Amino acid sequence: MMTNKINPDAMSREWNYHPELPLADSSLFKWPPDPRFLSRWVVRNWLTMSERVIMVLLATLCWWLFYPALESVKTFAFGWVLQVWLVNLCLMIGIAGGLHYFFYIRKEQGKRLKFDHRDLARGNKLWNFSNQVYDNVFWSLGSGVLQLTMYQVVIMWLMANEYVPTINLTSNPILFVAGLVLLPIWSAFHFYWMHRLLHLPFIYKHVHSLHHRNVNIGPWSGLSMHPVEHLLYLSSLLIHFVFPSHPILVYFHVIYLGPGAAMTHTGYEDLLVRDKRRLALGTFYHQLHHRYYECNYGNQEMPWDRWFGTFHDGSDDGTQATRTRKKTMHRNI
Ligand SMILES: [Zn+2]
Ligand SMILES: [Zn+2]
């Protein structure tokens, strides 16, 4: 796998843009641990204005100003549940809509750092309303934000009543910081296994294929899923039943899974400001999953795809191996 060849001409026919290939091993669990790589990871993710830092700031802002306080959610009531849903709706529309506006309406960045050559689909009956974006918005808001809110209000109610372990910032600052770092790692672990389940041929056909109609992805594709997939994907939040959490950790996790999916599915690698890469967005790693299906089920920070032989490094050999795997998996369908 590691000596895989790259044919530059074929690659530029295949992709509008791709990072240097074959993809390097950027797993956090690379063995032996490389202190330089790990410290760069910390700086890139936590000590700059990264996707993650933006999400923590948003979670804090929403906790402080927009979500109801825990003291007021001890019993279920229509008012506060509606409030949580409205905040989530605004977050999703603001982030997915904002990115869509920037990249696909204003076309601020043209096709620079865009993986796929094509524009988002219109006039194709594959999509509800014959429009990929409208279809994606429909599933993201109709089912995605609704189920995200459902999980969140149950956790908030449990926390308010102290049925689940809860921490506060002054007495458990270390656990709080550990939670911020560990939640995305947990969520990537959960995502990999749920995603393997979703690719079992029967479930794939009836559930996950809805997300995979998006071969060419845009921000609204991230949370555009079948309701059963939302239920499984968002169950990552159940970790708060056992992991001692502060509400900000829960809201960070909610934003990471919901609007965060829009950030990882823009179809672009980075956001450029005056030709400088200012914000890392999607990865070629997941773009390969949307193009070739039976590879890269996890994300590049985690070692699972490498360990279980489902890693596609972007080379021709990787594509060949993926096609063979797909044939074997779907042989009996
Ligand atoms: Zn995806
Ligand atoms: Zn998939």
Side-chain angles (χ1 to χ4, degrees):
M1 213 48 187
M2 283 300 113
T3 54
N4 286 349
K5 51 185 187 311
I6 302 295
N7 174 346
D9 292 340
M11 280 298 154
S12 52
R13 265 198 308 278
E14 197 82 14
W15 301 103
N16 174 59
Y17 161 82
H18 61 78
E20 201 182 313
L21 298 174
L23 290 176
D25 183 355
S26 43
S27 157
L28 271 178
F29 300 91
K30 199 159 52 172
W31 204 258
D34 174 354
R36 274 188 47 219
F37 170 80
L38 289 173
S39 50
R40 269 206 307 270
W41 180 87
V42 172
V43 171
R44 200 162 16 116
N45 283 284
W46 290 109
L47 303 177
T48 48
M49 197 41 94
S50 67
E51 242 178 37
R52 280 182 203 180
V53 171
I54 292 174
M55 289 190 240
V56 176
L57 293 177
L58 272 176
T60 311
L61 194 74
C62 290
W63 166 73
W64 184 37
L65 294 175
F66 303 125
Y67 286 133
L70 278 195
E71 303 82 68
S72 61
V73 303
K74 286 196 170 118
T75 49
F76 278 106
F78 183 71
W80 71 264
V81 172
L82 182 72
Q83 184 181 344
V84 175
W85 177 73
L86 281 174
V87 174
N88 291 343
L89 201 62
C90 291
L91 281 170
M92 193 65 207
I93 293 174
I95 293 179
L99 289 166
H100 181 78
Y101 181 74
F102 179 87
F103 285 115
Y104 293 93
I105 295 180
R106 297 278 310 173
K107 298 190 191 325
E108 289 289 348
Q109 203 167 305
K111 291 206 169 164
R112 280 178 301 158
L113 302 187
K114 185 178 189 306
F115 300 121
D116 202 294
H117 290 287
R118 293 166 294 171
D119 282 325
L120 300 174
R122 277 171 205 224
N124 181 336
K125 289 271 182 293
L126 176 69
W127 311 97
N128 288 324
F129 325 109
S130 297
N131 183 308
Q132 181 180 5
V133 178
Y134 295 168
D135 174 286
N136 284 178
V137 172
F138 172 77
W139 292 109
S140 304
L141 299 185
S143 167
V145 171
L146 197 69
Q147 294 202 47
L148 195 61
T149 306
M150 191 186 79
Y151 274 105
Q152 182 179 349
V153 296
V154 170
I155 296 166
M156 287 171 76
W157 174 80
L158 289 169
M159 287 177 106
N161 289 291
E162 294 177 31
Y163 295 146
V164 291
T166 309
I167 59 168
N168 67 52
L169 280 171
T170 37
S171 48
N172 304 88
I174 293 173
L175 209 52
F176 180 80
V177 173
L180 287 180
V181 176
L182 291 176
L183 281 171
I185 296 175
W186 151 253
S187 151
F189 172 79
H190 174 273
F191 178 67
Y192 179 81
W193 292 108
M194 280 300 162
H195 202 175
R196 290 294 301 257
L197 179 74
L198 288 161
H199 274 262
L200 293 178
F202 179 82
I203 307 181
Y204 182 83
K205 186 165 165 228
H206 297 285
V207 175
H208 190 47
S209 55
L210 191 141
H211 180 66
H212 270 286
R213 289 172 307 158
N214 297 284
V215 175
N216 177 25
I217 53 178
W220 283 106
S221 311
L223 198 62
S224 175
M225 301 170 186
H226 188 282
V228 173
E229 179 170 353
H230 281 133
L231 192 73
L232 294 171
Y233 165 71
L234 298 171
S235 68
S236 168
L237 287 162
L238 298 180
I239 194 74
H240 299 289
F241 283 21
V242 290
F243 187 84
S245 305
H246 183 276
I248 293 178
L249 290 180
V250 178
Y251 306 155
F252 167 59
H253 199 174
V254 162
I255 294 171
Y256 185 86
L257 294 172
M263 294 171 123
T264 55
H265 282 76
T266 55
Y268 287 78
E269 187 172 61
D270 289 327
L271 188 143
L272 297 170
V273 179
R274 292 195 198 92
D275 292 332
K276 283 217 165 67
R277 291 174 186 250
R278 289 294 182 198
L279 181 66
L281 294 165
T283 58
F284 192 62
Y285 189 97
H286 191 63
Q287 185 79 33
L288 285 165
H289 178 73
H290 276 270
R291 175 74 67 94
Y292 298 114
Y293 309 89
E294 304 304 339
C295 62
N296 298 3
Y297 302 103
N299 70 28
Q300 61 187 10
E301 275 188 1
M302 301 297 276
W304 318 119
D305 282 300
R306 288 178 190 82
W307 288 1
F308 298 108
T310 52
F311 175 49
H312 187 330
D313 62 1
S315 67
D316 297 342
D317 296 352
T319 301
Q320 212 44 55
T322 304
R323 289 199 169 129
T324 312
R325 186 176 317 116
K326 192 166 166 215
K327 263 197 204 117
T328 322
M329 284 175 70
H330 294 263
R331 202 172 29 202
N332 303 320
I333 303 298

